[in-house]
């Protein structure tokens, strides 16, 4: 996979800024980061990403982008030379009270974004998104908040709809036959390590790596470590 380009897929309210610092540490060629626009389903996001992708690539997805990567692999398995799933998940929205709580929590953030602005919403949302010790890192926090501010509540609403209706990939995981890296920040409270351990059990011959001193935003919190882990996996697979 040495010459195969990386298709870097951003998560909720994210753009190329998620990958900017990490790119400087990568040897592998990278493709332009897709813009999901107003896509309101994981499938539509996968289609947008596939439109401009080459015939073969490694799909690298962070958070919601990991779900997009899984959908790309489901739709076009012959084009995916490898999968790297970072700080993400695979199950659909829970049924019953748990699923309703998720819907309410996401819509509460959307209401805040509409009433107070995207940055104010981001300041609330970030409390559980990064390693607690990085909340005082002004450069990191400002970069994340600036990225969130580049989106608007309409895009936020569309992406929330996509996540609430996300497909469940449980049955897909055992069928994945390309090299797969699972990567998780040790302190990721949003997509915890236990979830990635379960994915590792389900995906044949997958590799699980943990990024120390990182929360959910590991590509921005520890870009060097994430890039080195990706490069090592790519070169040794």
């Amino acid at each position: 996979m040495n010459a195969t380009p990386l298709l870097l897929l951003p998560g909720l309210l994210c753009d190329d800024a998620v990958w900017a610092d990490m790119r400087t540490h990568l040897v592998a060629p990278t493709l332009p980061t897709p813009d999901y626009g107003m896509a309101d389903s994981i499938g539509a996001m996968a289609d947008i990403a596939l439109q401009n992708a080459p015939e073969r690539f490694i799909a690298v997805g962070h958070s919601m982008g990991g779900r997009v990567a899984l959908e790309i692999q489901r739709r076009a398995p012959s084009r995916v030379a490898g999968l790297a799933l970072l700080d993400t998940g695979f199950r659909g929205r829970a049924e019953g009270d748990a699923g309703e709580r998720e819907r309410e929590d996401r819509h509460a953030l959307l209401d805040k974004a509409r009433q107070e602005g995207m940055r104010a919403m981001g300041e609330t949302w970030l409390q559980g998104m990064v390693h607690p010790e990085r909340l005082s890192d002004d450069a990191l926090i400002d970069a994340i908040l600036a990225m969130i501010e580049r989106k608007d509540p309409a895009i936020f609403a569309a992406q929330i709809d996509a996540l609430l209706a996300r497909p469940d990939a449980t049955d897909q995981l055992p069928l994945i036959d390309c090299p797969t890296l699972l990567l998780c920040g040790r302190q990721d409270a949003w997509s915890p390590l236990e979830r990635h351990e379960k994915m590792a059990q389900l995906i044949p011959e997958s590799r699980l790596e943990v990024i120390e001193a990182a929360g959910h935003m590991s590509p921005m919190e520890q870009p060097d470590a994430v890039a080195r882990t990706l490069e090592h996996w790519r070169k040794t697979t």
Side-chain angles (χ1 to χ4, degrees):
M1 297 197 294
N2 282 352
T4 308
L6 306 181
L7 177 59
L8 304 174
L9 301 159
L12 178 67
L13 297 179
C14 294
D15 57 26
D16 188 62
V18 165
W19 311 112
D21 288 341
M22 200 186 83
R23 281 182 195 270
T24 66
H25 300 287
L26 287 171
V27 175
T30 59
L31 299 164
T33 299
D35 183 344
Y36 306 131
M38 289 298 297
D40 62 358
S41 72
I42 299 298
M45 293 174 188
D47 287 341
I48 289 168
L50 281 166
Q51 282 175 6
N52 297 314
E55 186 58 31
R56 291 278 283 176
F57 54 86
I58 298 169
V60 181
H62 171 251
S63 192
M64 182 182 74
R67 294 182 180 275
V68 177
L70 283 170
E71 184 63 15
I72 286 172
Q73 193 278 333
R74 189 186 70 81
R75 292 179 179 222
S78 65
R79 295 177 63 184
V80 179
L83 273 175
L85 307 175
L86 286 58
D87 299 283
T88 192
F90 65 98
R91 292 191 175 92
R93 180 160 64 109
E95 297 181 356
D97 291 345
E100 182 60 21
R101 281 194 301 274
E102 180 187 345
R103 188 193 68 80
E104 291 174 354
D105 289 347
R106 291 190 184 277
H107 278 278
L109 287 171
L110 177 58
D111 289 343
K112 188 176 183 69
R114 287 170 170 161
Q115 295 165 13
E116 302 178 34
M118 293 297 290
R119 190 177 185 91
M121 182 282 299
E123 289 171 348
T124 297
W125 185 41
L126 262 183
Q127 298 307 306
M129 289 292 115
V130 301
H131 189 295
E133 293 181 0
R134 300 300 296 277
L135 290 170
S136 59
D137 183 334
D138 291 342
L140 172 66
I141 299 305
D142 285 347
I144 297 173
L145 291 176
M147 179 173 62
I148 290 171
E149 277 192 296
R150 288 193 286 274
K151 306 298 184 184
D152 60 31
I155 291 174
F156 193 19
Q159 294 188 358
I160 284 175
D161 286 345
L163 285 169
L164 291 177
R166 62 190 181 270
D168 190 307
T170 303
D171 292 340
Q172 176 190 351
L173 299 190
L175 304 178
I176 293 174
D177 59 0
C178 64
T180 302
L181 171 68
L182 303 166
L183 183 150
C184 181
R186 174 76 70 183
Q187 288 79 25
D188 188 341
W190 188 261
S191 298
L193 179 57
E194 306 87 79
R195 185 179 301 165
H196 295 76
E197 290 171 340
K198 180 62 175 177
M199 294 172 73
Q201 293 171 3
L202 292 172
I203 301 175
E205 299 183 22
S206 57
R207 185 185 304 179
L208 174 61
E209 299 285 353
V210 178
I211 301 299
E212 301 296 341
H216 188 67
M217 300 300 290
S218 63
M220 296 182 78
E221 295 177 67
Q222 300 289 350
D224 185 14
V226 172
R228 281 189 283 104
T229 302
L230 271 171
E231 286 291 347
H232 180 72
W233 165 74
R234 189 176 63 85
K235 292 174 181 176
T236 58
T237 298

